[in-house]
Amino acid sequence: RSCSVSTTASGATPAPTPTVPSDSVVALWSDAYTSHPVDTWSATWDDADVEDYLIGTDSTKKYTNLVFAGVEFTTTTLDASAMTHFHIDVWTPNSTASPNVFKVKFVDFGPDGAFGGGDDSEHELIFDENTMDTEQWVSIDVPLASFANLASTEHLAQMVISSVGLSTVYIDNIYFYDAGLAPEPDV
């Protein structure tokens, strides 16, 4: 399947606890896993505000005034080449009805591991009302192959989250995993 989604009622409840074994995960953000170093969750060039936000004892990222937010891990690029899937948990109080959408883009800096140089690649996926729910935690799991224009996932350096109409978004459990070593996500 190309995308699996599960939702959980929220309000004051944290995102679902991941069940993928830690030895088959490379995480950007999650209380359940050791996270890869991230330089910034809101780059100087983006159009969003971010804060660390606790739901109970669970740490999440809360984006407000979200148009697009640049998450950079350029100092130490991330090698997800052994991983097969990407996961993110998303919650929004905003209406997810069309034309509102949530987007995730990854940028790989290519073999030279640096911005520019002609070997960078990127791809963005769009999640609409068929994927997103208002006031529900949505667990999105997609094959990395869905990011078809990424020439590689060996030097990932940026994640850009953006939206149309979703000005407030909470995100949690952002990671890559090897589906061959992980249990199937709940759908």
Side-chain angles (χ1 to χ4, degrees):
R1 71 190 131 186
S2 62
C3 175
S4 63
V5 177
S6 59
T7 60
T8 308
S10 186
T13 62
T17 302
T19 59
V20 178
S22 60
D23 60 351
S24 59
V25 168
V26 177
L28 284 175
W29 178 266
S30 178
D31 286 347
Y33 306 113
T34 301
S35 297
H36 180 84
V38 172
D39 298 309
T40 183
W41 287 93
S42 183
T44 56
W45 45 264
D46 74 14
D47 192 1
D49 299 310
V50 66
E51 66 178 288
D52 289 340
Y53 190 84
L54 279 177
I55 301 175
T57 59
D58 187 43
S59 299
T60 64
K61 295 290 182 184
K62 177 184 179 183
Y63 284 92
T64 53
N65 306 309
L66 177 64
V67 177
F68 62 96
V71 180
E72 294 189 312
F73 30 102
T74 56
T75 301
T76 306
T77 60
L78 185 146
D79 182 356
S81 60
M83 304 294 118
T84 61
H85 285 70
F86 168 70
H87 175 95
I88 187 170
D89 290 320
V90 184
W91 189 95
T92 182
N94 306 122
S95 170
T96 55
S98 181
N100 296 350
V101 296
F102 178 74
K103 304 175 189 180
V104 177
K105 175 169 63 173
F106 281 104
V107 179
D108 186 278
F109 279 1
D112 69 0
F115 179 71
D119 61 353
D120 298 357
S121 63
E122 62 184 54
H123 191 92
E124 180 176 69
L125 297 180
I126 299 171
F127 303 97
D128 61 15
E129 62 191 354
N130 295 312
T131 305
M132 300 297 297
D133 279 319
T134 302
E135 296 184 345
Q136 299 282 320
W137 277 108
V138 176
S139 294
I140 299 171
D141 290 272
V142 294
L144 282 177
S146 298
F147 294 91
N149 293 326
L150 279 177
S152 169
T153 56
E154 196 170 347
H155 298 97
L156 292 172
Q158 295 175 330
M159 177 178 76
V160 180
I161 61 168
S162 60
S163 76
V164 173
L166 307 177
S167 62
T168 300
V169 174
Y170 297 78
I171 59 174
D172 199 0
N173 302 316
I174 307 162
Y175 58 87
F176 302 90
Y177 65 97
D178 182 345
L181 301 174
E184 276 292 313
D186 296 331
V187 178

